[in-house]
Amino acid sequence: MAKDRSNGEDYTGPLRRLLMGVLLLCLLAIFLVWRIDSPRVERFRAQVTDALVPNLEWAMAPVTGFVNLIRDFQSYQRLSEQNRELRSELRQMQAWKEAALQLEQENARLLDLNNVRLDPRLTYITGVVLADSGSPFRQSVLLNVGARDGIMDGWATMDGIGLVGRISGVGKNTARVILLTDTTSRIPATVQPSGQVAMISGDNTAAPPVEFLENPDLVRPGDRVISSGDGGVFPAGLLIGQIAADPSGRLRVRLAADYERLEFLRVLRHHGAEPIADPSQIVKPVQVNEASDVSEAPDG
Amino acid sequence: MAEMTVSRLWLMRAAFVALCIFVMFLHLLPLDTVPRTWAGPDIIMALAFAWALRRPDYVPAITVALVMLLGDLLLQRPPGLLALLVLLGTENLKTRARALREAPFLTEWSAVALVMIAIALGNRLVLSILVVPQAAFSLGFLQMGMTILCYPFVVAFTQFVMGVRKIAPGDVDLVRRGA
């Protein structure tokens, strides 16, 4: 019994208590530093992730593949039902394809007529999704491309169809993409065809709400939402999704990107919109030597 | 014999760390990228409590602090806060481990549940005082409830798979030599 008591004293001994205090203070300091100087700690977090997660890739890839295989297998059970659905969808698609081909030709002709030059610098790097955020409270994925590949904070990320998110946190070999559904995501957008400007602000649901609409009456469910490029951080004209109204009447965006299966993502290289810095200059007639004296005299 | 217990002590300490890293690995698998309306339990916290109540010497404070800090960093939580709270929780449970050793499981469960509720509320309170944006209350509440509900399973795993049992009165000598 005496030994038993001394065992307990180990845990409350002065040295142990001191160590405990130091440990608690360290953790508190880390949290407070994060709150005060978040970018620096987030960079540290990116480095830790960068050092650890790529090492797990060899194990992650097969496990993920295996689980997806099981999920696919479950969907085989309703194969005939799906087949019928697909057939009817295919019929609809063929009609659309015809329309799309005609529109594409028309579009090409119009672009040619107007001499439009598409932004040539919007090239992309494709990355593979390594890991997700691992928490139900945050929505982000980790890509296997990083500073080594020239990735920079703030660049847009798409899957084949629509916008997925933006880069936030770059390590040497990895980069984190904050998805549009994350609570910290805010993307300036334009609703077509009315041209209303709005903010797409994630709230941890599958369809983020549309906020700061000037005139909601002009926006209808089914309207296309594209990024507006306001603020110069994001390239303009990337497809985000379609407007949908939830049961309470609030406008939300049904995202175009397939969030169910994020496997390969494109990171768009974007070097910011070029600012127009110098004020416009007065257009003067071409100065000819003998005319210059005459034209400048009245100006004083 | 002493050699045996010392090596077993370090083996079990390593096993705890390995188990926690495995749980984080499962969390990080890119399986669900769609926001969910439910939240899974915080298995690492439950593991730390179950081990701390059974064999406090297998989960020293530094291990709990480092594992939780790593979890905070990898799983996108505010770094340090949850680690701090869980460390306080485990230390609190360790001081009560002796009293709870003879008590029935229900008593242990309710003690652990109280600590978990305190941690969830404390986490929420600190984050809202410092105006850190946080997820919906229902989601955090759900995670806390799930953690409490899964605690008996974690205990069963700890006892029957990992072989971490409460110290019987006769075993005290071994523990003393190990610690």
Side-chain angles (χ1 to χ4, degrees):
Chain A
M1 212 53 214
K3 276 176 182 169
D4 202 16
R5 201 170 302 126
S6 68
N7 183 21
E9 274 159 13
D10 271 354
Y11 286 99
T12 48
L15 188 64
R16 207 167 267 268
R17 217 178 293 171
L18 182 71
L19 280 176
M20 194 57 206
V22 170
L23 213 53
L24 289 175
L25 272 181
C26 281
L27 291 176
L28 189 67
I30 291 173
F31 176 63
L32 288 180
V33 168
W34 172 77
R35 191 58 196 133
I36 294 163
D37 187 9
S38 155
R40 209 160 296 201
V41 181
E42 290 297 334
R43 215 174 304 144
F44 172 68
R45 190 207 292 268
Q47 279 164 1
V48 170
T49 319
D50 195 53
L52 289 178
V53 178
N55 295 335
L56 296 175
E57 197 183 356
W58 57 271
M60 273 178 161
V63 176
T64 312
F66 183 69
V67 174
N68 282 334
L69 201 72
I70 292 175
R71 284 187 184 171
D72 285 344
F73 189 74
Q74 283 170 345
S75 76
Y76 283 144
Q77 290 168 352
R78 13 182 242 104
L79 206 63
S80 65
E81 189 187 331
Q82 271 182 340
N83 203 357
R84 207 170 330 120
E85 277 172 26
L86 285 176
R87 267 174 212 283
S88 70
E89 262 177 44
L90 193 66
R91 263 196 299 279
Q92 287 175 353
M93 285 300 162
Q94 267 161 356
W96 278 109
K97 186 186 160 198
E98 213 46 50
L101 279 177
Q102 283 172 15
L103 283 175
E104 192 190 355
Q105 284 170 8
E106 191 185 336
N107 195 19
R109 224 175 306 133
L110 288 175
L111 284 178
D112 190 34
L113 279 177
N114 287 330
N115 212 358
V116 173
R117 184 161 159 266
L118 295 176
D119 193 347
R121 291 191 307 174
L122 222 52
T123 54
Y124 56 80
I125 312 159
T126 303
V128 180
V129 172
L130 279 185
D132 64 11
S133 69
S135 148
F137 308 112
R138 304 300 303 273
Q139 303 299 327
S140 65
V141 292
L142 200 70
L143 294 184
N144 71 342
V145 287
R148 183 192 54 185
D149 308 279
I151 304 276
M152 281 161 70
D153 264 332
W155 281 3
T157 316
M158 304 179 76
D159 73 349
I161 310 164
L163 192 65
V164 166
R166 78 199 307 170
I167 299 283
S168 168
V170 182
K172 188 162 162 276
N173 304 312
T174 54
R176 185 166 293 281
V177 181
I178 300 287
L179 303 182
L180 294 182
T181 47
D182 189 78
T183 42
T184 55
S185 163
R186 301 281 183 279
I187 304 290
T190 312
V191 185
Q192 298 288 14
S194 58
Q196 290 278 308
V197 181
M199 273 291 197
I200 310 300
S201 51
D203 64 346
N204 218 10
T205 59
V210 181
E211 280 174 2
F212 302 113
L213 261 179
E214 196 171 318
N215 192 352
D217 297 338
L218 293 177
V219 176
R220 292 214 187 86
D223 286 359
R224 277 160 52 90
V225 183
I226 58 175
S227 68
S228 70
D230 287 343
V233 187
F234 237 52
L238 305 179
L239 178 65
I240 297 177
Q242 281 189 333
I243 294 279
D246 68 0
S248 63
R250 197 168 179 206
L251 293 178
R252 289 175 177 274
V253 181
R254 190 175 295 138
L255 296 167
D258 183 12
Y259 273 66
E260 296 274 345
R261 285 277 170 95
L262 295 179
E263 264 183 80
F264 300 98
L265 294 182
R266 284 175 187 174
V267 184
L268 301 184
R269 290 197 186 89
H270 181 64
H271 300 281
E274 245 171 60
I276 299 171
D278 46 335
S280 61
Q281 289 171 343
I282 299 166
V283 182
K284 288 188 277 190
V286 181
Q287 296 200 343
V288 189
N289 278 341
E290 61 261 26
S292 63
D293 300 340
V294 185
S295 67
E296 269 173 27
D299 285 273
Chain B
M1 192 64 204
E3 287 292 308
M4 263 293 274
T5 40
V6 169
S7 65
R8 181 170 165 76
L9 178 75
W10 284 100
L11 187 74
M12 293 311 280
R13 282 179 179 174
F16 178 75
V17 175
L19 211 58
C20 290
I21 289 178
F22 179 68
V23 172
M24 279 177 220
F25 164 79
L26 290 185
H27 274 301
L28 283 174
L29 286 180
L31 290 176
D32 31 29
T33 38
V34 183
R36 286 174 289 171
T37 50
W38 54 279
D42 192 342
I43 302 274
I44 299 179
M45 195 202 287
L47 270 176
F49 289 172
W51 285 51
L53 278 179
R54 273 157 191 75
R55 298 296 293 265
D57 47 334
Y58 286 173
V59 275
I62 182 89
T63 315
V64 177
L66 286 181
V67 162
M68 286 307 293
L69 188 62
L70 185 67
D72 283 349
L73 288 175
L74 284 185
L75 304 181
Q76 304 293 300
R77 290 189 293 238
L81 179 60
L82 199 62
L84 181 78
L85 291 172
V86 171
L87 185 60
L88 283 174
T90 38
E91 290 307 305
N92 175 275
L93 285 175
K94 273 183 195 172
T95 57
R96 286 193 280 162
R98 178 128 5 105
L100 289 170
R101 194 182 297 159
E102 281 97 31
F105 178 69
L106 214 59
T107 320
E108 182 195 328
W109 195 7
S110 51
V112 168
L114 275 180
V115 172
M116 283 175 180
I117 293 172
I119 286 178
L121 290 181
N123 191 17
R124 198 123 196 121
L125 189 71
V126 173
L127 287 184
S128 47
I129 287 174
L130 293 179
V131 217
V132 180
Q134 43 186 334
F137 181 74
S138 57
L139 209 58
F141 188 75
L142 197 68
Q143 180 166 48
M144 186 195 77
M146 292 281 269
T147 314
I148 292 174
L149 282 182
C150 84
Y151 183 72
F153 299 102
V154 172
V155 166
F157 175 79
T158 306
Q159 290 212 354
F160 302 118
V161 181
M162 300 302 293
V164 178
R165 292 199 175 75
K166 286 185 187 174
I167 311 157
D171 297 344
V172 169
D173 282 344
L174 297 182
V175 180
R176 271 294 296 153
R177 223 171 291 151

